[in-house]
Amino acid sequence: MKGGGGGGSGASAYGFPAKRRWKGLVIGVLGLVFLSMLVPLVFLLGLYNGFHTTAGYASDSQSSKPGFQPSHVDDIIRKLGPTLPKDVFQPNVIEPKKEVEGFIDESRETKESTGLQPPKVEEKPPKVEEKPRKVEEKRPKVEEKPPKVDALPKHTHENGTKVDGKVQATHRMIALDESGKPCEWKFGSYCIWREENREVIKDSMIKKLKDQLFVARAYYPSIAKLPKQGKLTQELKQNIQELERVLSESTTDRDLPLQIEKKSLNMEAAIVKAKSFPLDCNNVDKKLRQIYDMTEDEASFHMKQSAFLFQLAVQTMPKSLHCLSMQLTVEYFRTDSTNLELSQAEKYADPTLYHYIIFSKNILASSVVINSTVSHAKESGNQVFHVLTDGQNYFAMKLWFLRNSYKDATVEVLNVDHLKLHDEENATFVLPQEFRISFRTLTHSRTEYMSMFSHLHYLLPEIFKNLDKVVVLEDDVVVQRDLSALWSLDMGGKVNGAAQSCHVRLGELKSFLGEHSYNQDDCTWMSGLNVIDLAKWRELDLSQIFRGLVSEKLSKQDKSTDAAALRASLLTFQGQVYALDNSWSVYGLGHDYKVNVQDIEKAATLHYNGYLKPWLELGIPKYKAHWKKFLDREDLFLSKCNINP
């Protein structure tokens, strides 16, 4: 009994009872289970705290210890080294961009304080590398939410950054993307490039209103079909009508009414309401396509209309010039013109004087030619100008040149319709012809303008029988230098001294000129400034050669007299053209926007060949000044016809 009792008491003294042993095992197992769950959780939390936040901020625990980084994170980085950039955990430094509208432009200290770098505990801002690393080179992945720039720490100022007790001025300008949000890293450098290279949009409000009208028209049919949406339908309809009325009266932002901002906001609000309803996309898409097709047709119509109006504007006489001609014609018959006419008939046929021939229906144009020529002449008394015009403008021309004097020069006005000529069939008044020649190749196209004699030019030897040499000037020419040297010019037996255009050679017109013999490398010539040897002309009978070539062309091919005249002129003067020096004439001012300015200043004459004449509103503005300075702005009739408002 004692042995048994001793054994029992020994078990209780030196060992645990069975019940207590089981309790210890259960607690141990539960502890292991808890630890097995806690370790991964601690690992995950530690890994999260080891990385930067997606917005560029460090965690709270990390910010309190700037150099803290758990060791197990280093192990993971070493394992994932090839897939992560080496500086992914380094502070991001953004290069400041200066003088670019719409960009954040702050000091590096402010960037650290606003969260672009992890903020430090120390009062002094951390030092930044001398050569900051660009964000574009290696950029950590970030969320779509942009970094906040308005959460400034206590040590910053509203208008600057406080460093060592001093406030440094900063410029905060936010770059916006297409949606109006600040530029984010996910947009890459395009968002920044777009802001740097943004062009100023002219008439932006007009474009905005057109876009709103386009969208509203697309949504309106679908909204109108919705039940119980009569109020929104009426609102859309009213806004559409208002914008249509405004756009019909305005083409630029300056033409818009004062309340246009309010109208635009009302339309925008109506569009937002319309977009909030679940609509059938097919209906909206169908309406958009219909509007697009209508817009395309409308654009095509306006292109054709503008081309027609352009041709009408450049080929007809402006209203003001027509008014001037009519006013002068009426005044001519009211005035006793016989008392105004000067007896200078002996000068008209004097071969010792300098005779200039001008073909024109334009009073102002012919006046500018004469005025510019006389203004630069060393001696104007030996200059005689013969202005040939038609019966409609004859009396107006005559009165104009009787009322206006040009130093000591003499001006004669001739009515071609009243001239008694042998070739009466070709005696109708025709201005010098201008031709546009286009060359198309596989790689590019080229267009040149050529000015050529008309049928009337080939009557000059008969009209001026007593003259042996003349200078022919077109009415779209401005003279900038004395032309007296042309009368002593030795042309080597040639008939026509003219400016050559080597941009077009005869070989390029082979299909047009036909099988006649000519040198294909010869340059074409231009009318505008031409020195004509009438004695040599009569000797070679060039007028008859011209008529024969015109008849040949008209008999073989179409009945285009203009094309026939161009071909005949080029072939008639084949081998009879003396090339004037380039300093005598610069042409192209009626169509070429890129004429060399230095060539214009040095040239003796400027030729406005092309459609954009200087007296037209469509004329090239930068060339008009050379023409306008020789215009008599003080004449009473110019004021009556509003030519000089």
Side-chain angles (χ1 to χ4, degrees):
M1 291 293 293
K2 289 182 180 180
S9 62
S12 61
Y14 301 102
F16 293 99
K19 194 171 185 179
R20 291 184 178 179
R21 286 197 302 270
W22 282 109
K23 274 186 181 180
L25 291 173
V26 171
I27 292 173
V29 171
L30 291 176
L32 291 174
V33 172
F34 178 75
L35 289 175
S36 64
M37 296 175 63
L38 182 61
V39 170
L41 182 60
V42 172
F43 172 78
L44 292 175
L45 291 175
L47 180 60
Y48 174 79
N49 290 330
F51 284 89
H52 288 287
T53 58
T54 54
Y57 295 98
S59 64
D60 295 336
S61 61
Q62 188 178 355
S63 62
S64 62
K65 296 181 181 180
F68 172 76
Q69 185 166 296
S71 58
H72 58 271
V73 178
D74 294 333
D75 298 336
I76 294 179
I77 292 174
R78 282 193 292 272
K79 293 179 181 179
L80 302 178
T83 61
L84 292 175
K86 294 180 180 179
D87 57 349
V88 70
F89 297 104
Q90 299 297 328
N92 296 318
V93 181
I94 299 179
E95 276 192 338
K97 298 182 179 295
K98 300 180 180 179
E99 299 180 1
V100 180
E101 184 178 358
F103 277 92
I104 300 173
D105 185 6
E106 300 177 343
S107 62
R108 295 187 179 97
E109 292 80 9
T110 303
K111 288 179 172 61
E112 294 170 358
S113 64
T114 54
L116 296 177
Q117 277 189 314
K120 308 279 185 174
V121 175
E122 293 82 4
E123 290 185 3
K124 293 184 179 181
K127 295 182 179 180
V128 183
E129 302 170 342
E130 292 183 2
K131 296 182 179 179
R133 182 165 51 260
K134 292 184 179 179
V135 176
E136 289 81 358
E137 295 176 357
K138 295 181 180 179
R139 184 180 299 118
K141 296 183 179 179
V142 296
E143 292 180 353
E144 295 185 2
K145 184 178 179 181
K148 297 180 181 179
V149 295
D150 55 351
L152 297 176
K154 294 181 180 179
H155 65 272
T156 59
H157 191 268
E158 190 175 51
N159 295 322
T161 304
K162 188 173 183 181
V163 180
D164 295 334
K166 297 181 180 180
V167 177
Q168 295 182 352
T170 58
H171 304 279
R172 248 178 246 102
M173 296 175 288
I174 309 301
L176 303 178
D177 60 21
E178 296 176 355
S179 63
K181 298 180 180 179
C183 281
E184 302 177 20
W185 286 352
K186 75 165 190 171
F187 291 101
S189 60
Y190 168 71
C191 185
I192 299 175
W193 178 90
R194 186 175 63 86
E195 293 297 333
E196 289 178 344
N197 297 274
R198 183 186 294 274
E199 296 182 2
V200 178
I201 301 176
K202 296 181 180 179
D203 303 321
S204 58
M205 180 56 72
I206 287 286
K207 293 180 174 63
K208 180 181 178 180
L209 295 177
K210 288 181 178 180
D211 292 340
Q212 289 179 341
L213 186 60
F214 190 87
V215 175
R217 285 173 174 172
Y219 275 91
Y220 176 75
S222 299
I223 295 296
K225 295 178 182 179
L226 294 177
K228 299 180 181 181
Q229 295 301 326
K231 184 177 180 181
L232 179 57
T233 303
Q234 183 63 25
E235 184 180 354
L236 272 175
K237 182 179 180 180
Q238 183 179 356
N239 286 315
I240 289 173
Q241 290 175 349
E242 288 183 359
L243 289 193
E244 285 177 344
R245 180 181 57 80
V246 169
L247 292 175
S248 66
E249 299 173 354
S250 307
T251 56
T252 62
D253 285 356
R254 290 181 293 181
D255 302 332
L256 294 172
L258 297 177
Q259 301 296 327
I260 192 59
E261 290 284 350
K262 184 177 179 180
K263 295 181 185 294
S264 177
L265 291 175
N266 292 339
M267 173 61 88
E268 188 68 29
I271 292 174
V272 170
K273 293 178 185 178
K275 289 182 177 180
S276 65
F277 289 93
L279 303 176
D280 187 358
C281 295
N282 292 329
N283 293 336
V284 178
D285 178 69
K286 183 178 180 181
K287 185 61 179 177
L288 283 172
R289 291 181 183 276
Q290 290 177 353
I291 297 175
Y292 175 79
D293 292 338
M294 291 173 59
T295 305
E296 190 175 11
D297 295 340
E298 186 178 358
S300 177
F301 167 76
H302 284 300
M303 287 178 62
K304 294 178 181 178
Q305 187 182 50
S306 63
F308 169 75
L309 293 177
F310 175 81
Q311 295 292 332
L312 184 65
V314 300
Q315 294 184 6
T316 57
M317 181 178 291
K319 181 180 179 181
S320 57
L321 297 184
H322 180 73
C323 167
L324 178 63
S325 180
M326 294 297 101
Q327 290 280 349
L328 289 170
T329 302
V330 172
E331 186 66 21
Y332 177 84
F333 289 103
R334 287 179 180 175
T335 309
D336 186 5
S337 59
T338 56
N339 296 331
L340 298 175
E341 293 184 19
L342 301 176
S343 178
Q344 294 181 332
E346 66 279 1
K347 288 187 176 182
Y348 296 159
D350 188 351
T352 61
L353 302 178
Y354 299 160
H355 293 266
Y356 297 89
I357 313 297
I358 302 172
F359 296 89
S360 179
K361 295 180 182 180
N362 191 325
I363 298 171
L364 288 184
S366 55
S367 175
V368 167
V369 176
I370 296 174
N371 192 20
S372 62
T373 305
V374 172
S375 298
H376 294 92
K378 296 178 181 178
E379 184 179 353
S380 60
N382 57 1
Q383 292 182 326
V384 181
F385 295 89
H386 306 271
V387 182
L388 280 73
T389 187
D390 58 353
Q392 182 179 353
N393 297 280
Y394 170 69
F395 298 104
M397 284 268 195
K398 197 167 186 179
L399 181 61
W400 176 271
F401 289 111
L402 288 174
R403 287 169 52 89
N404 296 276
S405 60
Y406 302 90
K407 293 187 178 181
D408 297 329
T410 303
V411 180
E412 179 190 19
V413 180
L414 295 174
N415 184 358
V416 175
D417 297 338
H418 293 168
L419 296 177
K420 295 181 180 180
L421 303 171
H422 296 295
D423 189 7
E424 295 183 358
E425 182 179 351
N426 294 319
T428 56
F429 185 82
V430 181
L431 288 173
Q433 302 296 307
E434 289 189 347
F435 301 90
R436 185 179 65 180
I437 302 176
S438 298
F439 301 91
R440 290 183 176 86
T441 62
L442 296 176
T443 57
H444 66 282
S445 60
R446 178 166 54 92
T447 301
E448 300 291 342
Y449 287 81
M450 293 182 59
S451 182
M452 200 61 56
F453 283 173
S454 67
H455 294 78
L456 195 57
H457 285 72
Y458 293 90
L459 299 177
L460 288 177
E462 186 177 354
I463 296 173
F464 302 99
K465 296 179 180 179
N466 298 326
L467 302 180
D468 293 334
K469 193 172 187 178
V470 296
V471 172
V472 180
L473 297 172
E474 291 190 8
D475 62 357
D476 57 353
V477 168
V478 173
V479 179
Q480 298 189 128
R481 204 169 70 204
D482 181 33
L483 301 181
S484 58
L486 294 174
W487 302 97
S488 59
L489 186 66
D490 182 11
M491 297 193 299
K494 307 291 185 181
V495 176
N496 183 7
Q500 287 193 330
S501 173
C502 291
H503 297 294
V504 181
R505 298 183 181 272
L506 296 182
E508 295 178 290
L509 303 175
K510 183 177 181 180
S511 59
F512 175 72
L513 296 177
E515 300 299 330
H516 288 268
S517 58
Y518 54 85
N519 187 356
Q520 297 187 6
D521 294 330
D522 284 354
C523 301
T524 56
W525 56 276
M526 301 280 292
S527 66
L529 172 65
N530 299 90
V531 185
I532 303 297
D533 187 346
L534 291 179
K536 189 72 174 179
W537 187 313
R538 297 186 188 97
E539 179 183 341
L540 298 175
D541 199 5
L542 295 182
S543 298
Q544 187 60 35
I545 295 175
F546 171 80
R547 298 187 189 101
L549 291 171
V550 170
S551 301
E552 178 186 349
K553 176 71 174 177
L554 294 178
S555 61
K556 288 185 178 181
Q557 298 183 11
D558 57 3
K559 299 297 181 180
S560 175
T561 56
D562 292 341
L566 172 62
R567 173 180 176 273
S569 291
L570 292 174
L571 294 176
T572 299
F573 287 100
Q574 174 65 23
Q576 297 298 328
V577 177
Y578 173 80
L580 295 177
D581 188 80
N582 292 334
S583 62
W584 279 107
S585 180
V586 169
Y587 51 86
L589 276 70
H591 66 89
D592 189 358
Y593 286 81
K594 298 179 181 179
V595 180
N596 193 320
V597 177
Q598 295 180 350
D599 293 342
I600 293 176
E601 294 175 352
K602 295 178 181 179
T605 61
L606 306 178
H607 190 190
Y608 291 80
N609 64 308
Y611 289 151
L612 307 178
K613 301 299 184 184
W615 54 82
L616 299 176
E617 291 185 5
L618 296 174
I620 302 176
K622 62 181 179 179
Y623 303 146
K624 280 186 176 182
H626 302 286
W627 187 85
K628 285 184 176 181
K629 64 182 178 182
F630 296 107
L631 188 63
D632 184 6
R633 300 172 180 268
E634 308 230 348
D635 193 275
L636 176 63
F637 290 98
L638 297 183
S639 301
K640 285 184 177 181
C641 294
N642 200 28
I643 293 177
N644 291 311

